[in-house]
Amino acid sequence: MPKFRLVKESPEAVACDLLAVAVFKDAKPGPGAAEVATLLGTTLKDLFAAERISGNVGDCAVLSTVGHIAAKRVAFVGLGDKTAVTPFEIRRAGAVVARKAAGAKTVGTLVPAAASGNGTDAARAFAEGFLLGSYKFTRYKKASANGSKPVAVSDVLIAGMAKSAGIDKSLAAAQAVADGTVLARDLTNTPANDKSPVSLAQQARDIAKGTGMTVKVMDEKQLAAKGMNGILGVGRGSPKPPRLIEINYKATGAKKNIAIIGKGITFDSGGINLKTQGLDWMKMDMGGAAAVLGIMKAIAAIKPKVNVTAIICSAENMPGGNALHPGDVLDMYGGKTVEIGNTDAEGRLVMADGLALAAERKKYHYILDMATLTGACMVALGPRCFGVMGNDDGLIQGLLGASKRAGELAWELPLIEDYRKMIDSDIADLKNIGGPYGGAITAGLFLREFIGDHKWAHMDIAGPTKSESDEFEQPKGATGSGVRTVVEWLTSL
């Protein structure tokens, strides 16, 4: 991970491999852009014409300086409308710069100085974008033929801004959030042959080590003694035993207690209702658990003044000889019975146990759950946006506001009461699947059955957990969706 430092040098004097300066639509210059262009023997108008850029967010033209200034190369980075630059655009520009920095060890930038308003927010947004845009999952990549390794950026020099304790704190927060998001991405990208409920439990222990956080893990015997039949039922068909993992973070002077439940299906074959497509990325069906682990890693560094309990419900859903059958009835933790309408609607079964466990304690001000729960949410909101639903408008709006500040896309979905009858069973209290339509909503209604009278929200992150391509701070593959939003929400309480 690179180190971020504020420097006092003027743009032409910043010694680095790549200097990033901001430009806007209509060839309007950001801080230092016009001066640098002049020193390179051009104008922004000519540059825009030659490089066919418009100044929109995502535009970037990289030029060699051939010794005219201290930097070796200059990136002119688009930020869109000069009057409407927010941390959202700055974050995206940071990611663009990171991808243009291949081969650079030192990067200089005046991009954060182009933002209107709070400079600390701009510095944090750029740092987050740069760190997240730099991400690559290389665990299984062998060394190249000549044994060389790619050059990594070691320093990012931020010019044009005054040093302050607020900026230092913002940069540290950016680093913590990026670290948590990267952890979530790495875990989600890891294939199922190297991932299991047991390995997630060990990851929780590793995160907690030296932080003051505590970890408790229920193995299959303890789950059986407790009556956690949702987790046990889903895990029955796999030789990899299920686990319920609990991490506790306590803050001095905390006035709120929060529970966050994560879905940790380390591979989802669909069970006996075997999936017919998309199996290659079902290693990512633990994206909710990965996000929760990333959140806990981040808050251990940021130290928000709230108490947080993370509960990860983890199993592998396989069609083994002991697997759940369609038509089976599970006596769930919390006292309800559930008929299995489809073994591929397994996430809500494991999550129900975690929600019921949190609800029975009656000590949490809010209960939040995160899950790659339904393809229906992807149909409704597309691949970039997660759905939020729940029983408390203040909580929902808090999460939606946090998502906007964090730069993640989210939208509220309703819990339509008329749809509740879709999950009625003829022989049990509930069935685990509704009709062919409104699947994200009926899944949310199912989860609601297990939270009692607590204030609760559900985040369905099935779509944005995985990206098909690099786009700004989102890499191809696992994205760590939800980490930034929830950390932002927790620090705002």
Side-chain angles (χ1 to χ4, degrees):
M1 288 286 189
K3 294 180 179 179
F4 292 84
R5 295 188 286 124
L6 270 65
V7 296
K8 296 180 179 179
E9 288 87 348
S10 57
E12 69 276 8
V14 178
C16 56
D17 296 313
L18 177 69
L19 176 67
V21 294
V23 292
F24 302 100
K25 289 195 295 186
D26 302 320
K28 292 180 179 178
E35 294 87 342
V36 168
T38 299
L39 290 169
L40 297 182
T42 187
T43 66
L44 288 183
K45 184 176 180 180
D46 289 342
L47 174 69
F48 273 47
E51 298 295 331
R52 296 182 180 179
I53 61 173
S54 63
N56 287 323
V57 179
D59 278 352
C60 187
V62 180
L63 304 180
S64 173
T65 69
V66 292
H68 289 295
I69 63 174
K72 295 177 182 177
R73 295 184 297 152
V74 175
F76 294 89
V77 185
L79 282 179
D81 186 345
K82 188 173 184 176
T83 64
V85 177
T86 70
F88 183 84
E89 289 79 26
I90 297 289
R91 186 181 293 105
R92 289 191 157 190
V96 170
V97 173
R99 293 210 170 91
K100 296 294 183 180
K105 290 188 69 176
T106 305
V107 172
T109 183
L110 282 91
V111 170
S116 57
N118 193 326
T120 59
D121 290 344
R124 174 175 174 171
F126 182 88
E128 279 184 11
F130 190 92
L131 292 167
L132 297 173
S134 302
Y135 176 82
K136 292 185 183 299
F137 184 65
T138 59
R139 175 176 174 180
Y140 298 93
K141 291 281 190 180
K142 300 296 184 181
S144 61
N146 61 10
S148 64
K149 294 182 179 179
V151 174
V153 175
S154 59
D155 290 281
V156 178
L157 312 176
I158 301 175
M161 302 184 76
K163 186 174 176 61
S164 70
I167 287 182
D168 288 343
K169 185 177 180 180
S170 288
L171 292 174
Q175 185 73 65
V177 170
D179 287 346
T181 305
V182 164
L183 172 67
R185 290 174 177 179
D186 282 347
L187 291 173
T188 309
N189 277 324
T190 298
N193 59 312
D194 282 335
K195 183 166 62 184
S196 69
V198 171
S199 73
L200 290 186
Q202 185 56 50
Q203 188 66 60
R205 296 185 186 100
D206 292 344
I207 291 169
K209 192 177 298 181
T211 66
M213 295 192 299
T214 60
V215 176
K216 299 176 183 178
V217 179
M218 287 189 196
D219 63 20
E220 61 271 34
K221 292 182 180 178
Q222 292 166 314
L223 290 168
K226 192 78 171 174
M228 297 278 183
N229 292 318
I231 297 174
L232 287 169
V234 172
R236 268 175 22 191
S238 171
K240 298 178 181 179
R243 292 289 185 267
L244 186 139
I245 305 153
E246 182 174 326
I247 313 171
N248 282 285
Y249 163 85
K250 291 188 177 180
T252 303
K255 295 181 180 179
K256 290 190 182 297
N257 300 312
I258 312 298
I260 308 175
I261 291 84
K263 174 187 170 183
I265 302 298
T266 54
F267 188 79
D268 181 21
S269 69
I272 288 180
N273 292 112
L274 192 68
K275 290 180 183 291
T276 57
Q277 57 185 0
L279 275 166
D280 58 324
W281 73 276
M282 283 300 109
K283 65 181 182 180
M284 295 188 176
D285 208 17
M286 39 64 69
V292 171
L293 287 167
I295 290 161
M296 299 308 286
K297 182 177 178 68
I299 67 171
I302 296 174
K303 296 180 171 53
K305 292 189 178 299
V306 289
N307 295 327
V308 182
T309 297
I311 299 172
I312 292 169
C313 309
S314 187
E316 186 178 67
N317 187 26
M318 296 293 285
N322 196 39
L324 279 176
H325 313 89
D328 284 355
V329 174
L330 294 179
D331 192 355
M332 301 288 288
Y333 189 72
K336 289 184 169 63
T337 56
V338 174
E339 179 188 6
I340 306 304
N342 189 311
T343 62
D344 194 22
E346 85 300 326
R348 65 203 70 183
L349 297 175
V350 301
M351 295 293 281
D353 280 350
L355 288 166
L357 179 65
E360 76 173 4
R361 293 173 177 171
K362 297 189 180 299
K363 69 176 184 179
Y364 300 113
H365 294 86
Y366 300 113
I367 296 176
L368 172 66
D369 76 75
M370 306 176 71
T372 51
L373 205 66
T374 67
C377 196
M378 296 175 66
V379 172
L381 299 179
R384 295 289 186 190
C385 184
F386 59 77
V388 181
M389 59 194 86
N391 63 5
D392 183 77
D393 189 61
L395 172 56
I396 292 168
Q397 295 307 315
L399 289 167
L400 293 175
S403 74
K404 188 173 183 179
R405 296 191 299 275
E408 294 192 293
L409 301 178
W411 200 259
E412 182 181 1
L413 292 177
L415 289 175
I416 298 172
E417 290 299 332
D418 279 358
Y419 293 1
R420 169 59 185 79
K421 59 181 176 288
M422 294 183 184
I423 55 171
D424 283 339
S425 165
D426 292 336
I427 63 171
D429 298 324
L430 302 164
K431 61 181 178 181
N432 74 327
I433 195 165
Y437 306 112
I441 295 169
T442 54
L445 290 166
F446 181 92
L447 295 178
R448 191 184 64 176
E449 294 289 317
F450 296 88
I451 53 91
D453 58 0
H454 283 77
K455 294 179 179 180
W456 157 80
H458 160 58
M459 292 171 56
D460 191 330
I461 60 173
T465 287
K466 173 179 179 284
S467 176
E468 296 289 350
S469 61
D470 289 334
E471 185 174 348
F472 298 113
E473 70 268 33
Q474 302 286 47
K476 185 176 183 178
T479 65
S481 177
V483 173
R484 287 148 53 193
T485 291
V486 175
V487 172
E488 174 65 26
W489 173 67
L490 290 171
T491 56
S492 70
L493 292 176

mmCIF file of all heavy atoms in Angstrom, residues 422-457:
data_model
loop_
_atom_site.group_PDB
_atom_site.id
_atom_site.type_symbol
_atom_site.label_atom_id
_atom_site.label_comp_id
_atom_site.label_asym_id
_atom_site.label_seq_id
_atom_site.Cartn_x
_atom_site.Cartn_y
_atom_site.Cartn_z
ATOM 1 N N MET A 422 -47.123 -15.016 0.007
ATOM 2 C CA MET A 422 -46.380 -15.836 -0.958
ATOM 3 C C MET A 422 -45.439 -16.822 -0.277
ATOM 4 O O MET A 422 -45.045 -17.817 -0.889
ATOM 5 C CB MET A 422 -45.556 -14.946 -1.900
ATOM 6 C CG MET A 422 -46.373 -14.075 -2.828
ATOM 7 S SD MET A 422 -45.241 -13.150 -3.921
ATOM 8 C CE MET A 422 -46.420 -12.130 -4.824
ATOM 9 N N ILE A 423 -45.049 -16.546 0.980
ATOM 10 C CA ILE A 423 -44.142 -17.472 1.672
ATOM 11 C C ILE A 423 -44.875 -18.275 2.743
ATOM 12 O O ILE A 423 -44.246 -18.859 3.632
ATOM 13 C CB ILE A 423 -42.925 -16.735 2.264
ATOM 14 C CG1 ILE A 423 -43.326 -15.598 3.193
ATOM 15 C CG2 ILE A 423 -42.024 -16.220 1.149
ATOM 16 C CD1 ILE A 423 -42.148 -14.976 3.959
ATOM 17 N N ASP A 424 -46.216 -18.348 2.664
ATOM 18 C CA ASP A 424 -46.971 -19.254 3.523
ATOM 19 C C ASP A 424 -46.759 -20.688 3.054
ATOM 20 O O ASP A 424 -46.619 -20.963 1.860
ATOM 21 C CB ASP A 424 -48.461 -18.926 3.472
ATOM 22 C CG ASP A 424 -48.832 -17.705 4.293
ATOM 23 O OD1 ASP A 424 -48.054 -17.346 5.206
ATOM 24 O OD2 ASP A 424 -49.883 -17.093 4.010
ATOM 25 N N SER A 425 -46.739 -21.600 3.992
ATOM 26 C CA SER A 425 -46.616 -23.036 3.696
ATOM 27 C C SER A 425 -47.874 -23.756 4.144
ATOM 28 O O SER A 425 -48.499 -23.382 5.139
ATOM 29 C CB SER A 425 -45.395 -23.614 4.416
ATOM 30 O OG SER A 425 -45.428 -25.026 4.430
ATOM 31 N N ASP A 426 -48.232 -24.814 3.422
ATOM 32 C CA ASP A 426 -49.383 -25.627 3.821
ATOM 33 C C ASP A 426 -49.093 -26.478 5.044
ATOM 34 O O ASP A 426 -50.009 -26.846 5.789
ATOM 35 C CB ASP A 426 -49.801 -26.544 2.663
ATOM 36 C CG ASP A 426 -50.384 -25.767 1.496
ATOM 37 O OD1 ASP A 426 -50.884 -24.643 1.718
ATOM 38 O OD2 ASP A 426 -50.314 -26.286 0.360
ATOM 39 N N ILE A 427 -47.797 -26.791 5.281
ATOM 40 C CA ILE A 427 -47.482 -27.740 6.354
ATOM 41 C C ILE A 427 -46.557 -27.166 7.426
ATOM 42 O O ILE A 427 -46.308 -27.827 8.432
ATOM 43 C CB ILE A 427 -46.862 -29.034 5.780
ATOM 44 C CG1 ILE A 427 -45.528 -28.722 5.084
ATOM 45 C CG2 ILE A 427 -47.821 -29.725 4.823
ATOM 46 C CD1 ILE A 427 -44.747 -29.964 4.681
ATOM 47 N N ALA A 428 -46.026 -25.971 7.213
ATOM 48 C CA ALA A 428 -45.109 -25.364 8.180
ATOM 49 C C ALA A 428 -45.477 -23.882 8.359
ATOM 50 O O ALA A 428 -46.411 -23.385 7.732
ATOM 51 C CB ALA A 428 -43.669 -25.509 7.704
ATOM 52 N N ASP A 429 -44.750 -23.202 9.211
ATOM 53 C CA ASP A 429 -45.019 -21.779 9.431
ATOM 54 C C ASP A 429 -44.683 -20.947 8.195
ATOM 55 O O ASP A 429 -45.356 -19.953 7.906
ATOM 56 C CB ASP A 429 -44.200 -21.265 10.618
ATOM 57 C CG ASP A 429 -44.561 -21.953 11.927
ATOM 58 O OD1 ASP A 429 -45.757 -22.258 12.122
ATOM 59 O OD2 ASP A 429 -43.652 -22.192 12.742
ATOM 60 N N LEU A 430 -43.626 -21.328 7.502
ATOM 61 C CA LEU A 430 -43.136 -20.580 6.345
ATOM 62 C C LEU A 430 -42.592 -21.547 5.311
ATOM 63 O O LEU A 430 -42.300 -22.705 5.627
ATOM 64 C CB LEU A 430 -41.978 -19.640 6.751
ATOM 65 C CG LEU A 430 -42.187 -18.583 7.817
ATOM 66 C CD1 LEU A 430 -40.833 -18.075 8.306
ATOM 67 C CD2 LEU A 430 -43.009 -17.445 7.256
ATOM 68 N N LYS A 431 -42.438 -21.084 4.099
ATOM 69 C CA LYS A 431 -41.591 -21.787 3.142
ATOM 70 C C LYS A 431 -40.499 -20.836 2.690
ATOM 71 O O LYS A 431 -40.634 -19.615 2.798
ATOM 72 C CB LYS A 431 -42.389 -22.334 1.961
ATOM 73 C CG LYS A 431 -43.122 -21.315 1.122
ATOM 74 C CD LYS A 431 -43.892 -22.011 0.006
ATOM 75 C CE LYS A 431 -44.691 -20.992 -0.818
ATOM 76 N NZ LYS A 431 -45.477 -21.638 -1.902
ATOM 77 N N ASN A 432 -39.410 -21.388 2.202
ATOM 78 C CA ASN A 432 -38.231 -20.553 1.973
ATOM 79 C C ASN A 432 -38.177 -19.915 0.595
ATOM 80 O O ASN A 432 -37.141 -19.351 0.214
ATOM 81 C CB ASN A 432 -36.941 -21.353 2.232
ATOM 82 C CG ASN A 432 -36.622 -22.348 1.133
ATOM 83 O OD1 ASN A 432 -37.531 -22.919 0.508
ATOM 84 N ND2 ASN A 432 -35.346 -22.584 0.893
ATOM 85 N N ILE A 433 -39.266 -19.961 -0.150
ATOM 86 C CA ILE A 433 -39.292 -19.303 -1.449
ATOM 87 C C ILE A 433 -40.719 -18.887 -1.770
ATOM 88 O O ILE A 433 -41.685 -19.566 -1.376
ATOM 89 C CB ILE A 433 -38.715 -20.223 -2.556
ATOM 90 C CG1 ILE A 433 -38.407 -19.419 -3.820
ATOM 91 C CG2 ILE A 433 -39.631 -21.400 -2.833
ATOM 92 C CD1 ILE A 433 -37.527 -20.146 -4.801
ATOM 93 N N GLY A 434 -40.861 -17.753 -2.429
ATOM 94 C CA GLY A 434 -42.173 -17.276 -2.827
ATOM 95 C C GLY A 434 -42.478 -17.664 -4.263
ATOM 96 O O GLY A 434 -42.002 -18.692 -4.758
ATOM 97 N N GLY A 435 -43.239 -16.829 -4.954
ATOM 98 C CA GLY A 435 -43.580 -17.114 -6.332
ATOM 99 C C GLY A 435 -42.474 -16.701 -7.284
ATOM 100 O O GLY A 435 -41.366 -16.360 -6.868
ATOM 101 N N PRO A 436 -42.775 -16.670 -8.586
ATOM 102 C CA PRO A 436 -41.742 -16.367 -9.580
ATOM 103 C C PRO A 436 -41.376 -14.892 -9.656
ATOM 104 O O PRO A 436 -40.381 -14.549 -10.300
ATOM 105 C CB PRO A 436 -42.381 -16.830 -10.890
ATOM 106 C CG PRO A 436 -43.863 -16.715 -10.660
ATOM 107 C CD PRO A 436 -44.067 -17.044 -9.215
ATOM 108 N N TYR A 437 -42.138 -14.021 -9.025
ATOM 109 C CA TYR A 437 -41.902 -12.585 -9.126
ATOM 110 C C TYR A 437 -41.692 -11.972 -7.745
ATOM 111 O O TYR A 437 -42.152 -12.491 -6.730
ATOM 112 C CB TYR A 437 -43.070 -11.891 -9.832
ATOM 113 C CG TYR A 437 -43.397 -12.498 -11.175
ATOM 114 C CD1 TYR A 437 -44.589 -13.185 -11.375
ATOM 115 C CD2 TYR A 437 -42.498 -12.398 -12.226
ATOM 116 C CE1 TYR A 437 -44.879 -13.763 -12.603
ATOM 117 C CE2 TYR A 437 -42.777 -12.968 -13.464
ATOM 118 C CZ TYR A 437 -43.966 -13.647 -13.644
ATOM 119 O OH TYR A 437 -44.253 -14.221 -14.859
ATOM 120 N N GLY A 438 -40.993 -10.839 -7.726
ATOM 121 C CA GLY A 438 -40.770 -10.137 -6.453
ATOM 122 C C GLY A 438 -39.878 -10.896 -5.499
ATOM 123 O O GLY A 438 -40.026 -10.780 -4.278
ATOM 124 N N GLY A 439 -38.928 -11.651 -6.033
ATOM 125 C CA GLY A 439 -38.121 -12.528 -5.188
ATOM 126 C C GLY A 439 -37.264 -11.808 -4.166
ATOM 127 O O GLY A 439 -37.036 -12.322 -3.065
ATOM 128 N N ALA A 440 -36.760 -10.618 -4.495
ATOM 129 C CA ALA A 440 -35.967 -9.873 -3.511
ATOM 130 C C ALA A 440 -36.829 -9.452 -2.337
ATOM 131 O O ALA A 440 -36.386 -9.450 -1.176
ATOM 132 C CB ALA A 440 -35.325 -8.653 -4.175
ATOM 133 N N ILE A 441 -38.072 -9.103 -2.615
ATOM 134 C CA ILE A 441 -38.981 -8.636 -1.569
ATOM 135 C C ILE A 441 -39.445 -9.797 -0.694
ATOM 136 O O ILE A 441 -39.458 -9.695 0.540
ATOM 137 C CB ILE A 441 -40.185 -7.914 -2.194
ATOM 138 C CG1 ILE A 441 -39.702 -6.642 -2.910
ATOM 139 C CG2 ILE A 441 -41.228 -7.566 -1.136
ATOM 140 C CD1 ILE A 441 -40.759 -5.985 -3.776
ATOM 141 N N THR A 442 -39.812 -10.920 -1.305
ATOM 142 C CA THR A 442 -40.251 -12.052 -0.491
ATOM 143 C C THR A 442 -39.104 -12.614 0.344
ATOM 144 O O THR A 442 -39.324 -13.093 1.464
ATOM 145 C CB THR A 442 -40.868 -13.162 -1.364
ATOM 146 O OG1 THR A 442 -39.951 -13.549 -2.396
ATOM 147 C CG2 THR A 442 -42.175 -12.700 -1.989
ATOM 148 N N ALA A 443 -37.870 -12.524 -0.167
ATOM 149 C CA ALA A 443 -36.719 -12.935 0.640
ATOM 150 C C ALA A 443 -36.564 -12.017 1.842
ATOM 151 O O ALA A 443 -36.295 -12.469 2.968
ATOM 152 C CB ALA A 443 -35.452 -12.922 -0.207
ATOM 153 N N GLY A 444 -36.745 -10.715 1.633
ATOM 154 C CA GLY A 444 -36.692 -9.774 2.743
ATOM 155 C C GLY A 444 -37.793 -10.026 3.755
ATOM 156 O O GLY A 444 -37.570 -9.947 4.974
ATOM 157 N N LEU A 445 -38.994 -10.340 3.273
ATOM 158 C CA LEU A 445 -40.104 -10.647 4.174
ATOM 159 C C LEU A 445 -39.817 -11.908 4.992
ATOM 160 O O LEU A 445 -40.184 -12.000 6.173
ATOM 161 C CB LEU A 445 -41.395 -10.815 3.372
ATOM 162 C CG LEU A 445 -41.965 -9.532 2.766
ATOM 163 C CD1 LEU A 445 -43.033 -9.854 1.732
ATOM 164 C CD2 LEU A 445 -42.536 -8.623 3.857
ATOM 165 N N PHE A 446 -39.151 -12.879 4.376
ATOM 166 C CA PHE A 446 -38.759 -14.095 5.102
ATOM 167 C C PHE A 446 -37.809 -13.729 6.238
ATOM 168 O O PHE A 446 -37.997 -14.160 7.388
ATOM 169 C CB PHE A 446 -38.098 -15.080 4.145
ATOM 170 C CG PHE A 446 -37.675 -16.373 4.791
ATOM 171 C CD1 PHE A 446 -38.519 -17.471 4.803
ATOM 172 C CD2 PHE A 446 -36.425 -16.497 5.388
ATOM 173 C CE1 PHE A 446 -38.139 -18.667 5.400
ATOM 174 C CE2 PHE A 446 -36.025 -17.674 5.992
ATOM 175 C CZ PHE A 446 -36.893 -18.766 5.994
ATOM 176 N N LEU A 447 -36.794 -12.942 5.954
ATOM 177 C CA LEU A 447 -35.826 -12.567 6.991
ATOM 178 C C LEU A 447 -36.499 -11.806 8.123
ATOM 179 O O LEU A 447 -36.142 -11.966 9.298
ATOM 180 C CB LEU A 447 -34.708 -11.731 6.381
ATOM 181 C CG LEU A 447 -33.796 -12.419 5.358
ATOM 182 C CD1 LEU A 447 -32.766 -11.430 4.826
ATOM 183 C CD2 LEU A 447 -33.102 -13.637 5.962
ATOM 184 N N ARG A 448 -37.457 -10.958 7.780
ATOM 185 C CA ARG A 448 -38.143 -10.148 8.787
ATOM 186 C C ARG A 448 -38.822 -11.006 9.849
ATOM 187 O O ARG A 448 -39.008 -10.567 11.004
ATOM 188 C CB ARG A 448 -39.173 -9.245 8.110
ATOM 189 C CG ARG A 448 -39.748 -8.173 9.020
ATOM 190 C CD ARG A 448 -40.824 -7.363 8.336
ATOM 191 N NE ARG A 448 -41.994 -8.169 7.989
ATOM 192 C CZ ARG A 448 -43.102 -7.692 7.446
ATOM 193 N NH1 ARG A 448 -43.191 -6.400 7.144
ATOM 194 N NH2 ARG A 448 -44.123 -8.488 7.156
ATOM 195 N N GLU A 449 -39.196 -12.231 9.492
ATOM 196 C CA GLU A 449 -39.862 -13.124 10.438
ATOM 197 C C GLU A 449 -38.990 -13.473 11.637
ATOM 198 O O GLU A 449 -39.501 -13.986 12.645
ATOM 199 C CB GLU A 449 -40.283 -14.415 9.724
ATOM 200 C CG GLU A 449 -41.352 -14.239 8.662
ATOM 201 C CD GLU A 449 -42.714 -13.929 9.264
ATOM 202 O OE1 GLU A 449 -43.075 -14.578 10.265
ATOM 203 O OE2 GLU A 449 -43.395 -13.023 8.745
ATOM 204 N N PHE A 450 -37.685 -13.207 11.546
ATOM 205 C CA PHE A 450 -36.767 -13.688 12.578
ATOM 206 C C PHE A 450 -36.131 -12.572 13.407
ATOM 207 O O PHE A 450 -35.263 -12.850 14.226
ATOM 208 C CB PHE A 450 -35.667 -14.539 11.923
ATOM 209 C CG PHE A 450 -36.204 -15.777 11.271
ATOM 210 C CD1 PHE A 450 -36.647 -15.757 9.950
ATOM 211 C CD2 PHE A 450 -36.317 -16.970 11.978
ATOM 212 C CE1 PHE A 450 -37.172 -16.897 9.338
ATOM 213 C CE2 PHE A 450 -36.838 -18.104 11.388
ATOM 214 C CZ PHE A 450 -37.279 -18.071 10.075
ATOM 215 N N ILE A 451 -36.592 -11.331 13.232
ATOM 216 C CA ILE A 451 -35.920 -10.234 13.934
ATOM 217 C C ILE A 451 -36.772 -9.629 15.051
ATOM 218 O O ILE A 451 -36.355 -8.666 15.686
ATOM 219 C CB ILE A 451 -35.450 -9.139 12.942
ATOM 220 C CG1 ILE A 451 -36.577 -8.637 12.027
ATOM 221 C CG2 ILE A 451 -34.297 -9.653 12.101
ATOM 222 C CD1 ILE A 451 -37.318 -7.475 12.557
ATOM 223 N N GLY A 452 -37.957 -10.201 15.287
ATOM 224 C CA GLY A 452 -38.787 -9.709 16.370
ATOM 225 C C GLY A 452 -39.164 -8.253 16.166
ATOM 226 O O GLY A 452 -39.513 -7.832 15.067
ATOM 227 N N ASP A 453 -39.060 -7.457 17.229
ATOM 228 C CA ASP A 453 -39.456 -6.045 17.137
ATOM 229 C C ASP A 453 -38.253 -5.113 17.015
ATOM 230 O O ASP A 453 -38.343 -3.916 17.270
ATOM 231 C CB ASP A 453 -40.307 -5.646 18.340
ATOM 232 C CG ASP A 453 -39.584 -5.861 19.670
ATOM 233 O OD1 ASP A 453 -38.420 -6.323 19.662
ATOM 234 O OD2 ASP A 453 -40.185 -5.572 20.721
ATOM 235 N N HIS A 454 -37.110 -5.649 16.635
ATOM 236 C CA HIS A 454 -35.915 -4.826 16.477
ATOM 237 C C HIS A 454 -35.985 -3.951 15.230
ATOM 238 O O HIS A 454 -36.630 -4.307 14.233
ATOM 239 C CB HIS A 454 -34.664 -5.710 16.385
ATOM 240 C CG HIS A 454 -34.200 -6.246 17.696
ATOM 241 N ND1 HIS A 454 -34.811 -7.301 18.321
ATOM 242 C CD2 HIS A 454 -33.190 -5.859 18.507
ATOM 243 C CE1 HIS A 454 -34.198 -7.560 19.453
ATOM 244 N NE2 HIS A 454 -33.219 -6.694 19.598
ATOM 245 N N LYS A 455 -35.290 -2.823 15.285
ATOM 246 C CA LYS A 455 -35.095 -2.007 14.091
ATOM 247 C C LYS A 455 -34.070 -2.714 13.206
ATOM 248 O O LYS A 455 -32.944 -2.979 13.646
ATOM 249 C CB LYS A 455 -34.614 -0.602 14.475
ATOM 250 C CG LYS A 455 -35.663 0.198 15.241
ATOM 251 C CD LYS A 455 -35.127 1.572 15.615
ATOM 252 C CE LYS A 455 -36.198 2.374 16.359
ATOM 253 N NZ LYS A 455 -35.701 3.716 16.740
ATOM 254 N N TRP A 456 -34.472 -2.982 11.974
ATOM 255 C CA TRP A 456 -33.689 -3.897 11.131
ATOM 256 C C TRP A 456 -33.666 -3.418 9.687
ATOM 257 O O TRP A 456 -34.623 -2.822 9.189
ATOM 258 C CB TRP A 456 -34.317 -5.295 11.217
ATOM 259 C CG TRP A 456 -34.031 -6.204 10.058
ATOM 260 C CD1 TRP A 456 -32.894 -6.936 9.834
ATOM 261 C CD2 TRP A 456 -34.900 -6.492 8.961
ATOM 262 N NE1 TRP A 456 -33.011 -7.655 8.672
ATOM 263 C CE2 TRP A 456 -34.238 -7.400 8.110
ATOM 264 C CE3 TRP A 456 -36.184 -6.058 8.612
ATOM 265 C CZ2 TRP A 456 -34.811 -7.894 6.937
ATOM 266 C CZ3 TRP A 456 -36.760 -6.540 7.443
ATOM 267 C CH2 TRP A 456 -36.070 -7.451 6.623
ATOM 268 N N ALA A 457 -32.535 -3.665 9.026
ATOM 269 C CA ALA A 457 -32.428 -3.422 7.588
ATOM 270 C C ALA A 457 -31.652 -4.556 6.948
ATOM 271 O O ALA A 457 -30.757 -5.159 7.561
ATOM 272 C CB ALA A 457 -31.757 -2.092 7.294
#
